[in-house]
Amino acid sequence: MKRERRIKIIATLGPASSTPEMCAKLFEAGVDVFRINMSHTQRESLPERVAMLRALETQFRRPVGILADLQGPKLRVGAFGGDGAVVLENGARFILDADPTPGTVKRVHLPHPEILTALEPGHTLILDDGKLRLVVEKANEKQAVTRVVVGGRLASRKGVSLPDTTIAVSAMTEKDRSDAEAAAEAGVDWIALSFVQRPEDMADLRKIVRGRALTMAKIEKPQALGRLEEIIDASDSIMVARGDLGVEMPLEKVPGTQKRITRLSRRKGKPVIVATQMLESMITSPVPTRAEVSDVATAVFEGADAVMLSAESAAGQFPIEAVAMMNRIAEEVESESIYRSILEAQRAEPEETGADAIAKASHEIADTLNLKVIAAWTSSGSTAFRLARERPNSTVLALTPNRATARRLTLVWGVHAVVTKDASDIDDMASRACKFAVREDFAKLGDRIIVVAGVPFGTPGATNMVRIAFVAKEHVEKA
C-alpha cells in the first residue's frame, strides 16, 4: 500500500474511532499516524490501544505510527458559590487570590501559586477559552487585582491562559511524567509535550523518554515564540497547535506564525505538523467548508510534514469522510503546477556535513535525471530525515533493519519506509534497493533509481555514498 501524496495525515483516536475495524478503515482512507490524546486516556489502557494499532501492521503489511499527546498543565480558576457562576462587567475590578473559599463577583480562588508569583502589572489573563479578558493592575504572591476588559459569564473551574506570563515551572505535570513513562514503555513512536515555553521543557521530556520514542514540542503559547529556534533544536519535531495559540494571541497573527514555525522547522530539518480545527465542520457535516479546504491546502503548499485531525476523527460523525477529504485535498495540491515552485523557493542550504551534502546531491541528481525514487538505507532514520528536508520530487524509499525507525518515519514528509535486513555489501545494497522499489510500486523494469547509504553498513549517521542503479529483469523477478 503506497500513498499518492508526500504529506502525512494524523488522526486522533476517540469514541468515534476506538475499534480495530474503524482504525483499519481510517488507515485505508489515508491515516499514517494515530494520535492518542492523554487528556482522555488512562495510562493503564495504553498498552491495549498500542497493541490494537500494531495489529494493523500485520493486516496491511505497513508500519503504523503512534503519537502520544501529553495533557500538559491545565490552569483553572477555583469554584464559585451559589449557582457556580458569576457575571463580570466590563471595567469592574476582579481579584484572583490564594483564598480557597468559594468565589463571588468580586473574587475567586486561583489554585496555582506559581501564577500569582509570576504575574506583573499589565499582564493579560484570558478566561474560558478566550471569552473573558482581564488585565493585571497589581499583583503579589497572595493575590492579583485585575480590571475586566472583556466581561461575561464565568463559571467554576474554567480555564486560564497567560499570553504575557512565563511561569517558572516545567510544562510537565506529575500526570505528564507518569503518562510519558507509560507511553515510552508501551512502545509509542512519538511523544508530544503541551504548552512548551522553553527548551528546558523538552529536556525534561527527553530525560524521561531516554530515546525510547522521539519527542514533539507543541507550540501553543506566545512565550515559546521568543525561543522558537532553541525549542526546535531541543526537539525531534514541532506541532503548530493553533487552538490554544489562537486563544493566547490575536487570531490575525496565527496564520503568519504558522508559516514562520513551518519554515523554520523545515530549515532545521525537523518534521512539522499543522493541527487543530482543520476540518472542524466535518464533526457534524459530511463535507467541509471551502475555507477549511483552503486551510488544509495552505499547510500542504507550505511543505508541512503532516496535517492532523482532532475531534473530526475522535468524536465526529464522519471520521472516515474527514480522512478521505484530507487525503484528496493533499493529492490535489501536490499535483498543482505551482506546488513544486513553492517548495523549491523555501529550500534550505545544507549544513556543512557529508550527510547533508549527499542528501542535496541526491536531490539534484534525481531532478536532473527525472528519477522517481531515492532509496535510502538507514538504521536510525537520520538519512531519511535529511533527504526529506530537501523536499525532493522523488519518493524517499527508506530501507531499514529497525522496525522502530520505520514507524517513526511514518510522520516524515515523502518517506515510504520498509523493514528489511541490512545490506551486506555495495552490490547487495543496490540490488535490493531496486527490488524494493519495484515491489512497492515506485519503479519498473528499465528505470533508474538513486541509492544512498553509509559505509560501513549498519553505522548510524554514516551517510557517505550515493549511487545510480538500474532496475533489471532480475530485480523485477525477485520482487
Side-chain angles (χ1 to χ4, degrees), residues 347 355-367 390 450 466:
R347 278 181 67 185
D356 274 358
I358 291 289
K360 182 178 181 180
S362 301
H363 181 181
E364 293 178 347
I365 293 169
D367 279 358
E390 287 287 314
I450 293 176
V466 58

Side-chain angles (χ1 to χ4, degrees), residues 299-351:
V300 181
F301 274 123
E302 278 292 303
D305 287 78
V307 283
M308 191 177 95
L309 295 169
S310 299
E312 301 95 328
S313 61
Q317 298 175 28
F318 304 95
I320 297 172
E321 291 84 351
V323 173
M325 174 58 69
M326 190 167 266
N327 186 75
R328 290 199 300 274
I329 295 169
E331 289 180 353
E332 185 63 30
V333 168
E334 291 182 9
S335 68
E336 286 286 341
S337 58
I338 62 171
Y339 174 68
R340 289 304 315 173
S341 63
I342 294 174
L343 292 189
E344 288 295 324
Q346 298 174 26
R347 278 181 67 185
E349 286 300 311
E351 296 177 15

Side-chain angles (χ1 to χ4, degrees), residues 51-71:
M52 176 186 71
L53 296 173
R54 294 303 184 212
L56 296 177
E57 296 183 329
T58 302
Q59 181 177 349
F60 294 102
R61 301 179 65 183
R62 293 291 307 135
V64 174
I66 302 176
L67 163 66
D69 194 339
L70 304 179
Q71 175 178 287

Side-chain angles (χ1 to χ4, degrees), residues 2 6 362-363 365-367 369-377 387 392-399 414-416 418 430 432-444 447-452 466-471:
K2 72 170 186 175
R6 307 300 169 81
S362 301
H363 181 181
I365 293 169
D367 279 358
L369 301 179
N370 194 27
L371 306 186
K372 299 176 182 177
V373 183
I374 301 174
W377 289 91
L387 287 166
N393 201 26
S394 312
T395 295
V396 177
L397 177 61
L399 305 172
V415 176
H416 180 95
V418 173
R432 286 204 289 131
C434 289
K435 182 188 73 173
F436 280 112
V438 173
R439 178 185 293 180
E440 301 296 313
D441 199 26
F442 291 111
K444 61 184 185 301
D447 284 347
R448 290 176 295 177
I449 70 169
I450 293 176
V451 186
V452 177
V466 58
R467 174 173 173 174
I468 300 174
F470 181 80
V471 178

Side-chain angles (χ1 to χ4, degrees), residues 252-265:
E252 63 273 16
K253 292 185 178 293
V254 174
T257 300
Q258 174 180 318
K259 287 181 180 290
R260 179 155 65 94
I261 298 170
T262 300
R263 294 186 180 189
L264 183 56
S265 298

